[in-house]
Amino acid sequence: MDVLGKLKLVESELASILQKNGITMPKTAIVLGSGLGDVADAIVEPFVVSYGDLADFPVSTAPGHKGRFVFGKLGDTPVVIMQGRVHYYEGYPMSDVVLPVRVLALSGVENFVLTNAAGGLQDGMQIGDLMMITDHISTFVPSPLIGPNVDELGLRFPDMTHVYDVEYQDILRAAAEKTDQKLLEGIYAQFTGPHFETPTEIRLFGKLGVDVVGMSTVVEAIALRHMGKRVAGVSLVSNIAAGMSDELLCGDDVIDSGLIAGPRMTALLTEAVTHFA
Ligand code: HPA
């Protein structure tokens, strides 16, 4: 099946589940990164659709990823939360990695907040810090748009000048102030993983202007901008990048830092989404 055929199939399956249960598709989606799944606990009267309930939907195998959509209100704002995503390192083709966000976009979601756990390079960064993504480097992973262009989704050569919506960046800054917390800003670079970087690679990426490194988000942001959707991004610093501290890196860091920073991320996003169009 081609990319569009598969998207439409999953979209119609999701639509029929929602229709049967009287749920309308909200305008805003939040994708929760590794370790951040607890943010979904803030949803009032959640309606859950497991990815496994949708035929042909890629199911996440990453730790800390529940693999489901949670529909409901965050504060007073209707949202859909993706509690878990799939990663390129799990072996899925890029078209499957971006399928979940594309399905939501096709279903009528206009605004996307992409979150992730990331390794921090920026001077002074600490585990548990939140960083608003102002731009990204996609150069080290294949584009999700490789292959025949799906004209129904967007242009062959989409502009990437303002991937992270400038107005939504202002909203996030204001939300950080209102919820009385520090929000760093910087550049996210995506790598395939699943191995972490070497200290030499991290020194190189630091010279390239990278502030945090991770294994997700950028390809989703590209697929969504291709479709003309509005994107915001927030990273949780789950560890200091390789070779920049005395610690060795471990996959469990994302879970531990998620527990520390989950409530702050929830407060930030609950405030921010009230101001999204
Ligand atoms: N590198 C890459 N991906 C990551 C890291 C890291 O240090 N931490 C969390 N995701």
Side-chain angles (χ1 to χ4, degrees), residues 52-184:
D53 294 343
L54 302 163
D56 291 313
F57 201 90
V59 176
S60 174
T61 60
H65 284 248
K66 282 214 168 86
R68 57 196 203 167
F69 292 114
V70 182
F71 293 84
K73 282 191 175 175
L74 189 60
D76 290 330
T77 312
V79 297
V80 50
I81 289 189
M82 271 178 56
Q83 207 175 17
R85 52 156 66 92
V86 288
H87 301 83
Y88 191 55
Y89 65 72
E90 293 175 72
Y92 290 104
M94 263 324 170
S95 56
D96 273 355
V97 173
V98 300
L99 179 140
V101 290
R102 273 179 166 164
V103 165
L104 292 181
L106 269 184
S107 308
V109 177
E110 294 294 336
N111 311 310
F112 288 80
V113 186
L114 307 177
T115 71
N116 56 61
L121 283 74
Q122 202 179 65
D123 268 355
M125 240 174 199
Q126 291 172 353
I127 292 173
D129 281 346
L130 298 183
M131 188 201 85
M132 177 173 78
I133 302 173
T134 54
D135 203 357
H136 71 217
I137 294 178
S138 72
T139 315
F140 303 101
V141 287
S143 170
L145 308 182
I146 287 173
N149 187 51
V150 185
D151 295 335
E152 289 87 342
L153 301 185
L155 300 173
R156 170 76 291 189
F157 300 109
D159 177 72
M160 291 287 146
T161 308
H162 297 296
V163 175
Y164 301 89
D165 193 279
V166 174
E167 193 186 333
Y168 289 179
Q169 289 187 41
D170 283 340
I171 289 172
L172 278 166
R173 285 185 195 103
E177 214 171 297
K178 187 145 182 209
T179 57
D180 205 15
Q181 56 178 315
K182 178 174 75 170
L183 182 63
L184 302 173

Side-chain angles (χ1 to χ4, degrees), residues 117-120 188-189 191 193 195-197 202 213-215 236 238-242 249 253-254:
Y188 179 101
F191 300 94
H195 58 280
F196 290 113
E197 302 73 24
I202 290 297
V213 289
M215 305 175 193
L236 157 63
S238 58
N239 57 279
I240 301 305
L249 305 192
D253 293 341
V254 299

Side-chain angles (χ1 to χ4, degrees), residues 5 7 10 16 26 36 49 96 122 161 170 182 210 212 260 266:
L7 284 175
V10 179
S16 87
L36 286 164
V49 180
D96 273 355
Q122 202 179 65
T161 308
D170 283 340
K182 178 174 75 170
V210 173
V212 292
I260 307 171
T266 304

